[in-house]
């Protein structure tokens, strides 16, 4: 999406685009200050830090077991961080390694039944919180939010990927 410009300066973003930036920061700060991820982990009975929960949820929503590099790519972090989190999750019995059928030297990671249940509890807590926050919204407003948020994430992720390549 190309940025719009106003008539005053060809390099200045339009007021409507510019107004979104502080609102995104405000949302991020509110979620962080409210310790939403930590509260959801506590509600799920997970004594894990946010990165470990992120790995567990990433694995749970994947359509198949993943390699460490695939987890890192989906989370947009570096592999060594994921390796440490996977090891911690393994010690707790929340994930396990399985053989990669295409490369016997490699292993894939998938949640255990206990890990899948914990990820479901975590997701249910988050969904419940967000559902309460937007309870007064119409069905159309909720659908618009979902559609536009997915589009924003896809576009921002693609744009950042192009910046990293160039």
């Amino acid at each position: 999406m190309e940025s719009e410009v106003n008539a005053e300066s060809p390099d200045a973003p339009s007021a409507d685009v510019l107004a979104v930036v502080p609102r995104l920061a405000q949302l991020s700060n509110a979620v962080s200050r409210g310790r939403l991820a930590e509260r959801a982990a506590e509600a799920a009975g997970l004594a894990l830090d946010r990165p470990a929960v992120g790995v567990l949820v990433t694995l749970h929503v994947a359509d198949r077991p993943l390699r460490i590099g695939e987890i890192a790519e989906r989370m947009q972090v570096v592999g060594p961080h994921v390796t440490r989190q996977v090891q911690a999750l393994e010690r707790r019995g929340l994930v396990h390694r399985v053989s990669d059928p295409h490369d016997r030297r490699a292993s894939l990671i998938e949640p255990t039944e206990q890990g899948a249940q914990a990820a479901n509890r975590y997701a249910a807590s988050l969904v419940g919180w967000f559902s309460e926050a937007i309870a007064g919204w119409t069905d159309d407003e909720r659908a618009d939010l979902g559609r536009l948020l997915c589009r924003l994430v896809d576009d921002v992720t693609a744009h950042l990927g192009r910046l990293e390549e160039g």
Side-chain angles (χ1 to χ4, degrees):
M1 179 172 107
E2 294 183 17
S3 64
E4 298 172 79
V5 295
N6 65 31
E8 294 175 17
S9 169
D11 296 329
S14 67
D16 59 336
V17 173
L18 190 57
V20 170
V21 175
R23 299 298 282 177
L24 287 173
Q26 184 181 9
L27 176 61
S28 176
N29 289 336
V31 168
S32 293
R33 261 193 330 271
R35 297 183 49 252
L36 184 57
E38 292 84 355
R39 290 172 193 252
E42 290 168 13
L46 292 172
L48 300 171
D49 60 12
R50 191 182 317 197
V53 171
V55 169
L56 182 61
V57 170
T58 297
L59 287 166
H60 183 59
V61 300
D63 57 347
R64 60 185 170 74
L66 302 174
R67 289 182 177 206
I68 295 288
E70 292 174 304
I71 300 167
E73 183 178 310
R74 289 179 184 210
M75 294 181 66
Q76 299 183 341
V77 298
V78 295
H81 295 302
V82 173
T83 298
R84 284 191 296 276
Q85 299 306 324
V86 165
Q87 291 168 345
L89 292 167
E90 280 181 303
R91 285 191 295 273
R92 294 174 180 259
L94 298 172
V95 302
H96 64 207
R97 294 175 190 265
V98 295
S99 297
D100 184 336
H102 304 292
D103 183 353
R104 292 182 189 249
R105 297 167 296 162
S107 62
L108 303 172
I109 314 299
E110 68 181 1
T112 62
E113 182 61 32
Q114 180 185 356
Q117 291 172 0
N120 281 335
R121 290 190 309 270
Y122 177 82
S125 179
L126 286 178
V127 168
W129 185 89
F130 278 107
S131 294
E132 289 175 15
I134 62 173
W137 292 26
T138 66
D139 289 344
D140 287 343
E141 288 170 330
R142 286 192 295 274
D144 287 345
L145 173 66
R147 179 180 54 78
L148 292 171
L149 188 56
C150 286
R151 183 176 175 186
L152 175 65
V153 169
D154 290 347
D155 290 349
V156 167
T157 301
H159 187 65
L160 288 172
R162 288 189 299 273
L163 288 174
E164 289 175 5
E165 291 171 4

